[in-house]
Amino acid sequence: MSESFRDVAVIGLGLLGGSVALAARARIPGVRVVGYDADPAVRARAAEIGLADAIADTPAQAVAGAQLVVFCVPVGAMGAAAAAVAPHLPADCVISDVGSSKASVLKALGEALPGATIVPAHPVAGTEQSGPDAGFATLFVGRWCILTPAEDADEAAVARVSAFWEALGAKVEMMDAAHHDLVLAVTSHLPHLIAYTIVGTASDLEEVTQSEVIKYSAGGFRDFTRIAASDPTMWRDVFLHNRDAVLTMLQVFTEDLTELQKAIRKGDGAALFDHFTRTRAIRRSIIAMGQDDARPDFGRDHGVATAPATEDAARPR
Ligand SMILES: NC(=O)C1=CN([C@@H]2O[C@H](COP(=O)(O)OP(=O)(O)OC[C@H]3O[C@@H](n4cnc5c(N)ncnc54)[C@H](O)[C@@H]3O)[C@@H](O)[C@H]2O)C=CC1
Ligand SMILES: O=C(O)C(=O)Cc1ccc(O)cc1
């Protein structure tokens, strides 16, 4: 059983950083979490709502004495956030992050912190909300957290980071960073791109008014609007930093869409029926795997599975 981290620094106190801080404090006995955010207004709000045991005024203060530093900033800001703490890191401290793309983050952290022990992580759990008020302690319960350490990563550090995420309630899986980026490109990044597109398309139409779009939005479109309300900075960075994998998946998607377009134009009902039958089976196998978020009501509020009432108290309504 690996030794758990006692002193944790969380850099970036939005949805993910706030949730990591709250979850660690709720679920790891004796842990001390220090938070820092580059935005003074976020630091003030984080202090006001008690996200961490202490909110540091500087990156140096944040990491003083830390055994684990978790970067919870947009993927494009990982390098700058790491560079700001670099001169102040305790010698044996472990570095992790929660970025939605992994190869570019591993590279940015490695360049900013040469020689550091780095175990990148991606909790595949979130919502369309952002900012310090959006965090809640149960965000990671029952959700996957993918670790993407380099092949030569320190095994003991990997085991400790893995135990940290399990303590926060997550199920941990190991993956190569490049493979992670390809998988997440199709399961998360492309769906967000499609949502941003369809909501933009509907709002730009000339022959259909915006009020008609709002008034008659059926379930499917409403789900897209939730996704398309996600943080613009975070998602700009994901697409810029997972560019190649997203473009690869977008190419495949475009070809498949063209096939469906052809079937509609030709009146090929059998092709449409076969396709929709196949996709229905995928949904059913997700439910059969017991993934809570396949529940029909998932995502209508904050996109999380129900959680024990006590820990859920910090969750915004
Ligand atoms: N939103 C989601 O559902 C999920 C997000 N992620 C990843 O988590 C990370 C954070 O995302 P959110 O918490 O949603 O964003 P957020 O916008 O809620 O919070 C990000 C925070 O980072 C701060 N920040 C930016 N640059 C900084 C710097 N150089 N130093 C210190 N603080 C800095 C911002 O002021 C902001 O408060 C991103 O890398 C994202 O890809 C991962 C899983 C789910
Ligand atoms: O809100 C949703 O539906 C999400 O998909 C949340 C999310 C966003 C980014 C991630 O890297 C992981 C999860």
Side-chain angles (χ1 to χ4, degrees):
M1 174 85 185
S2 50
E3 188 199 345
S4 65
F5 298 107
R6 198 183 51 251
D7 289 292
V8 177
V10 175
I11 309 295
L13 296 171
L15 166 68
L16 264 288
S19 299
V20 168
L22 289 171
R25 294 169 71 215
R27 302 175 69 99
I28 304 177
V31 79
R32 177 177 150 78
V33 180
V34 179
Y36 173 76
D37 197 287
D39 182 341
V42 173
R43 292 203 296 275
R45 183 64 185 152
E48 200 171 52
I49 59 180
L51 279 188
D53 294 293
I55 302 297
D57 291 327
T58 65
Q61 277 175 18
V63 300
Q67 298 171 324
L68 172 68
V69 178
V70 189
F71 291 101
C72 302
V73 302
V75 291
M78 292 285 178
V85 303
H88 316 287
L89 279 183
D92 52 357
C93 122
V94 176
I95 304 298
S96 192
D97 76 289
V98 297
S100 300
S101 69
K102 297 274 49 107
S104 80
V105 171
L106 183 55
K107 185 165 179 283
L109 293 178
E111 284 170 3
L113 307 169
T117 304
I118 302 171
V119 184
H122 177 201
V124 188
T127 75
E128 74 283 14
Q129 312 282 339
S130 56
D133 287 286
F136 53 98
T138 54
L139 177 61
F140 311 111
V141 175
R143 312 305 301 271
W144 289 107
C145 181
I146 304 171
L147 304 190
T148 62
E151 270 185 17
D152 59 353
D154 181 308
E155 277 181 29
V158 174
R160 285 179 85 188
V161 172
S162 179
F164 176 78
W165 282 103
E166 280 170 0
L168 268 48
K171 303 176 285 183
V172 172
E173 192 110 319
M174 301 290 160
M175 224 182 256
D176 165 75
H179 186 65
H180 165 280
D181 287 356
L182 209 55
V183 172
L184 271 290
V186 71
T187 60
S188 176
H189 306 169
L190 200 53
H192 276 77
L193 191 69
I194 293 164
Y196 281 123
T197 311
I198 184 73
V199 175
T201 301
S203 75
D204 289 345
L205 292 173
E206 277 177 10
E207 61 276 28
V208 178
T209 66
Q210 288 229 15
S211 64
E212 283 173 314
V213 169
I214 293 164
K215 191 168 161 187
Y216 300 116
S217 72
F221 186 75
R222 291 180 73 88
D223 290 348
F224 279 130
T225 62
R226 183 188 73 78
I227 303 273
S230 300
D231 191 74
T233 303
M234 174 193 150
W235 283 100
R236 174 202 64 196
D237 280 10
V238 169
F239 291 116
L240 294 180
H241 290 266
N242 196 23
R243 195 182 87 138
D244 293 348
V246 168
L247 290 178
T248 298
M249 290 304 170
L250 191 54
Q251 179 65 32
V252 177
F253 173 81
T254 308
E255 287 165 15
D256 290 348
L257 186 61
T258 303
E259 282 295 309
L260 288 178
Q261 187 179 15
K262 201 161 79 184
I264 294 170
R265 187 164 34 79
K266 286 171 136 184
D268 187 349
L272 294 173
F273 187 85
D274 285 352
H275 187 93
F276 301 157
T277 304
R278 228 162 22 92
T279 56
R280 173 183 257 192
I282 289 174
R283 167 79 179 178
R284 289 182 172 167
S285 53
I286 291 173
I287 293 171
M289 277 174 73
Q291 302 271 67
D292 265 348
D293 52 352
R295 291 183 342 236
D297 62 334
F298 181 83
R300 301 230 181 277
D301 178 8
H302 287 90
V304 286
T306 42
T310 44
E311 286 177 0
D312 210 26
R315 180 178 161 189
R317 300 282 164 191

